[in-house]
Amino acid sequence: MPHVAYGGDYNPDQWPESVWEEDIRLMQEAGVNLVSLGIFAWSRLEPEAARYEFDWLDRIMDMLHQGGVRVDLATATASPPPWLSHKHPEMLPVTADGVRLWHGARQHYCPSSPVYRFAAQHLVERLAKRYAQHPALAMWHVGNEFGCHVPACYCDVSAEAFRAWLEERYGDIESLNRAWGADFWSQRYSEWGEILPPRRTPTWPNPSQQLDFMRFSSDALLECYDLEHAILKEHSPGIPVTTNFMRFFKPLDYWKWAEREDVVSDDVYQDPADPDAGMRSAMAGDLMRSLGRGRPWILMEQTSNRVNWREVNVPKAPGQMRLWSYQAVARGADGVMFFQWRQSRAGAEKFHSAMVPHGRPEHSPTWREVVKLGRELSRLDTVCGTRVSAEVAILHDWESWWALELPSKPSIRVHHVDQLESYYRHLFEANLTADFARPTDDLSAYRLVLAPSVYMVSDEGAANLAAFVEGGGTLVMSFFSGIVDEFEHIRLGGYPQPFRKMLGLEVVDWMPLADGETVKLKFADGIQSQGDLWSEVITLSGAEPLAFFAGSTLDGQPAVTSHSFGQGRAVYIGTRPDPAAMGRILRAVWTEAAIKPVLEAPAGVSAVRRSGPRNSLLFLLNHRDAHVEVPVADPGVNLVDGSEVHRGLLRLGPRGVAVIREGW
Ligand code: GAL
């Protein structure tokens, strides 16, 4: 699209047709140019097996087209109609406890079910044939938030599919026994038929089995996506295909998924009561851009104001929706969309805000903000297609995340996303843009790579990180990295075995800290701070200490180290330093690596740059509830309101934004 996409999920099937004209009129008023149509309309599109009703969809597609609104047409397969599961209860998903999940909500399907897949493919085939040439069609929206409610199924059908997946992976049963360490607790399998998904067991199921089941479950859903994707590509090869992601959603390996999408899209529901909400959604934005390998992505869903699914659904403050929308654009989104266009009258989400509220829109501040934002975004065509560049990469690998958070560890308090945030927060505050990457990715574009507890690493990933440092890069790594291989087997030979040489040290033992327990840290320059969560016994073999543990049994032993390796440097952190100490460590590292922020801005102001061959666009976002003055080095035009920006101080109101086209 040549314009920033603006709109939301549109469910006209929930409303009498008499409302549709008003919908189009209001969409025009709000500058809506794209809607995700019919996401949950399966039971209206196919009211009984193989009887299709497309007339209503034809009518609304035509109306939208005439109204100048393009369509991200849903394949409608996220909520199968009751007739299907009534006829075929074997397609319903089953939990690890053996509980079958029935129809009456949504997403009640086993991803491996041939019945579900067959029915979904038939519907998609019909939709694709009918609408491939429709002038309103801009994009396909496959399913909805795959795995959101049912990330894995443990039924007999899934068990069979899991076995087939394992057979493909391991070839023979002996290799599987080896990979699963099956001699432990007498778990040797003598034939494939004995293998089950990790259903409820007396105590921990085999961790390698659990890890493979997570891989399988992500793949099983991905197969559902692939089946639909193939049909859509056959009938409309030129139309982009997406499915909406959910930020750092643990069950799905989005690296794999994103490879199969033309456009990455994401749903972001910040909690306005969370003081870190801005940082967290920035992090999600950076992830989406990275998943798409830098390509623009779409903020597919957000709420205009309140959600309905927290215990207490705090509203967004005035200007907050607008600010967070711009934040997505700053971090690479070319579209800002909502769940949903018109607030439902019935059903489980009737108290969830929408672009059009229950009451009269003209009385609603939310609607006014929606209209204002739509008008502003219509001035940002020049943003479309521009890119964000980063000199820093943070390692984020789904498989390592899964493995790290399996039970039965030195401490189960070490959480992957917390670890990511403990790094990301400092970059966010200092306006250093970061991408996310896997250990196996090409890292040559980065000067600094951050590795927060990369617990599981392949040989290839470990070699890639070492090569990055050897070649002159700087790497910062946290404790409990490089501990297991991809089968969840310990890498023997002294922790962290694959990184010992690069880090110039060995970890002799772990000493996790109890809840609330802290350990003192003393930096080489005398400054004192503390860490929590973790400590460990480190012996040096080439690295120099930057900070020591103090006052505990580890008194005087290294806690943070630095090692020159090849042309580069590897810093290691053997605890979770408090934010001030972490900030110091990271600042020292990025200063030495000559990485500069986008802008030295006052606290609470984000600065991100998007650029293209002809444009450099500086986004300034004031996350604070007060006026701020931001030093601007280059003059330009603020595209949000057309005003000229001069070199000097630019004043931004509470939650104010500016998008400065730099240069005149
Ligand atoms: C999303 C979902 C939407 C709607 C929304 C409510 O997870 O895709 O259909 O349920 O949440 O916040």
Side-chain angles (χ1 to χ4, degrees):
M1 301 243 307
H3 314 291
V4 176
Y6 190 60
D9 285 15
Y10 181 35
N11 302 303
D13 42 319
Q14 291 179 13
W15 295 93
E17 294 198 17
S18 54
V19 176
W20 296 0
E21 245 164 57
E22 195 200 26
D23 281 336
I24 309 279
R25 188 178 59 69
L26 289 173
M27 283 179 195
Q28 288 168 340
E29 189 181 329
V32 165
N33 55 23
L34 184 72
V35 291
S36 301
L37 184 62
I39 292 182
F40 297 104
W42 192 344
S43 67
R44 283 288 301 268
L45 293 170
E46 193 183 1
E48 55 186 283
R51 184 168 71 75
Y52 298 95
E53 281 186 4
F54 289 121
D55 294 1
W56 66 272
L57 191 57
D58 293 350
R59 284 196 293 282
I60 190 65
M61 287 283 286
D62 292 347
M63 279 175 76
L64 287 162
H65 177 58
Q66 276 147 25
V69 179
R70 304 206 64 200
V71 174
D72 167 34
L73 187 57
T75 59
T77 51
S79 192
W83 59 257
L84 185 61
S85 38
H86 179 67
K87 226 160 124 186
H88 295 283
E90 74 278 14
M91 64 148 282
L92 291 165
V94 172
T95 67
D97 286 306
V99 176
R100 200 168 274 281
L101 304 175
W102 297 92
H103 63 244
R106 64 176 172 185
Q107 227 181 73
H108 45 279
Y109 63 85
C110 156
S112 303
S113 161
V115 173
Y116 167 75
R117 289 182 176 193
F118 178 85
Q121 286 178 85
H122 266 249
L123 176 66
V124 176
E125 180 92 41
R126 288 302 183 107
L127 279 166
K129 275 194 185 140
R130 196 173 183 98
Y131 298 104
Q133 304 301 328
H134 197 286
L137 181 68
M139 186 160 63
W140 290 107
H141 185 295
V142 176
N144 188 63
E145 292 191 342
F146 274 93
C148 164
H149 308 298
V150 183
C153 173
Y154 297 76
C155 75
D156 291 342
V157 175
S158 294
E160 214 173 298
F162 182 39
R163 284 177 212 123
W165 185 93
L166 290 167
E167 220 174 318
E168 170 92 30
R169 184 175 171 85
Y170 294 110
D172 59 89
I173 200 85
E174 204 33 53
S175 303
L176 174 128
N177 280 322
R178 245 193 331 271
W180 285 13
D183 285 319
F184 182 81
W185 283 355
S186 173
Q187 290 170 0
R188 283 196 145 266
Y189 294 96
S190 49
E191 54 168 280
W192 296 101
E194 295 164 3
I195 299 171
L196 292 172
R199 290 176 179 163
R200 183 71 62 214
T201 42
T203 181
W204 308 299
N206 180 311
S208 308
Q209 175 193 11
Q210 290 187 71
L211 186 59
D212 271 344
F213 189 66
M214 286 165 153
R215 292 178 172 125
F216 157 78
S217 299
S218 174
D219 285 357
L221 282 164
L222 183 53
E223 265 173 36
C224 295
Y225 169 85
D226 278 344
L227 290 171
E228 296 192 21
H229 181 266
I231 296 168
L232 300 171
K233 284 296 173 191
E234 184 192 330
H235 293 284
S236 53
I239 301 291
V241 179
T242 191
T243 185
N244 43 344
F245 289 165
M246 291 162 279
R247 316 210 263 181
F248 286 85
F249 180 64
K250 186 175 169 187
L252 301 188
D253 182 348
Y254 283 156
W255 289 118
K256 270 182 150 179
W257 282 68
E259 280 167 14
R260 263 91 140 193
E261 285 186 304
D262 298 300
V263 184
V264 169
S265 62
D266 195 30
D267 298 351
V268 179
Y269 291 97
Q270 303 94 338
D271 183 355
D274 170 11
D276 284 328
M279 183 267 288
R280 298 204 158 110
S281 48
M283 185 161 125
D286 288 341
L287 174 67
M288 292 305 136
R289 186 186 64 249
S290 309
L291 289 171
R293 302 297 177 195
R295 296 195 310 272
W297 54 281
I298 293 179
L299 173 61
M300 186 58 88
E301 290 182 24
Q302 62 170 339
T303 184
S304 60
N305 192 348
R306 266 180 295 104
V307 295
N308 64 301
W309 41 262
R310 296 195 173 95
E311 278 190 24
V312 177
N313 296 294
V314 174
K316 287 182 174 169
Q320 202 154 48
M321 177 279 276
R322 176 173 174 262
L323 170 72
W324 286 339
S325 299
Y326 276 100
Q327 176 171 261
V329 179
R331 291 180 186 270
D334 275 5
V336 173
M337 313 272 290
F338 296 81
F339 171 83
Q340 61 177 328
W341 164 249
R342 184 182 280 279
Q343 187 167 9
S344 297
R345 187 175 180 193
E349 296 186 317
K350 56 185 170 296
F351 293 110
H352 192 294
S353 306
M355 297 172 86
V356 180
H358 286 150
R360 283 172 293 169
E362 63 276 18
H363 289 237
S364 151
T366 303
W367 170 251
R368 285 199 290 274
E369 200 166 316
V370 163
V371 172
K372 176 179 157 147
L373 179 62
R375 298 226 169 110
E376 289 176 358
L377 293 178
S378 73
R379 298 182 201 121
L380 295 191
D381 289 0
T382 154
V383 168
C384 293
T386 57
R387 302 280 180 123
V388 178
S389 61
E391 292 180 306
V392 184
I394 306 181
L395 298 182
H396 164 62
D397 177 57
W398 260 271
E399 296 200 356
S400 178
W401 180 3
W402 296 337
L404 174 71
E405 295 182 5
L406 288 170
S408 175
K409 290 283 180 350
S411 167
I412 57 158
R413 301 271 189 268
V414 183
H415 295 295
H416 174 69
V417 174
D418 292 351
Q419 289 298 104
L420 291 180
E421 286 182 0
S422 74
Y423 280 77
Y424 185 86
R425 168 184 312 282
H426 300 284
L427 305 175
F428 176 73
E429 285 170 1
N431 288 316
L432 290 183
T433 314
D435 288 340
F436 288 89
R438 280 178 294 196
T440 45
D441 284 337
D442 175 5
L443 300 169
S444 55
Y446 305 106
R447 301 164 77 104
L448 174 61
V449 169
L450 305 174
S453 302
V454 183
Y455 167 69
M456 191 178 83
V457 73
S458 62
D459 292 346
E460 189 198 346
N464 191 42
L465 297 184
F468 169 76
V469 179
E470 258 186 310
T474 303
L475 181 130
V476 182
M477 179 172 272
S478 283
F479 62 89
F480 217 40
S481 288
I483 302 305
V484 294
D485 63 16
E486 56 268 57
F487 305 110
E488 244 274 306
H489 294 197
I490 298 289
R491 289 180 166 282
L492 299 175
Y495 313 128
Q497 183 269 335
F499 300 130
R500 268 199 304 113
K501 238 175 99 193
M502 174 184 81
L503 298 170
L505 54 74
E506 180 171 342
V507 174
V508 179
D509 203 5
W510 302 302
M511 300 179 68
L513 300 170
D515 279 349
E517 195 186 350
T518 56
V519 61
K520 285 206 184 77
L521 297 176
K522 201 166 167 186
F523 283 83
D525 58 9
I527 292 200
Q528 301 218 14
S529 61
Q530 57 183 32
D532 68 356
L533 191 69
W534 193 272
S535 62
E536 55 188 22
V537 185
I538 299 171
T539 58
L540 302 181
S541 49
E544 54 166 312
L546 299 178
F548 300 90
F549 291 111
S552 66
T553 47
L554 288 174
D555 191 49
Q557 301 205 39
V560 182
T561 66
S562 171
H563 185 227
S564 298
F565 185 64
Q567 308 292 310
R569 188 155 91 95
V571 170
Y572 182 73
I573 308 177
T575 181
R576 180 169 71 181
D578 63 23
M582 190 67 176
R584 278 186 88 226
I585 297 168
L586 292 178
R587 255 192 316 279
V589 168
W590 76 59
T591 308
E592 200 189 297
I595 297 169
K596 296 221 163 50
V598 172
L599 191 91
E600 301 274 359
V605 175
S606 292
V608 189
R609 188 170 277 114
R610 285 185 68 166
S611 46
R614 287 180 309 276
N615 272 324
S616 176
L617 302 152
L618 177 66
F619 286 73
L620 298 177
L621 312 166
N622 177 16
H623 293 269
R624 293 174 52 192
D625 192 13
H627 282 86
V628 289
E629 297 200 319
V630 188
V632 176
D634 295 314
V637 177
N638 180 0
L639 299 177
V640 174
D641 59 12
S643 61
E644 288 182 5
V645 177
H646 301 276
R647 192 190 151 93
L649 291 177
L650 177 72
R651 192 172 157 84
L652 292 179
R655 299 189 195 87
V657 303
V659 181
I660 304 172
R661 196 175 62 219
E662 296 174 304
W664 292 98

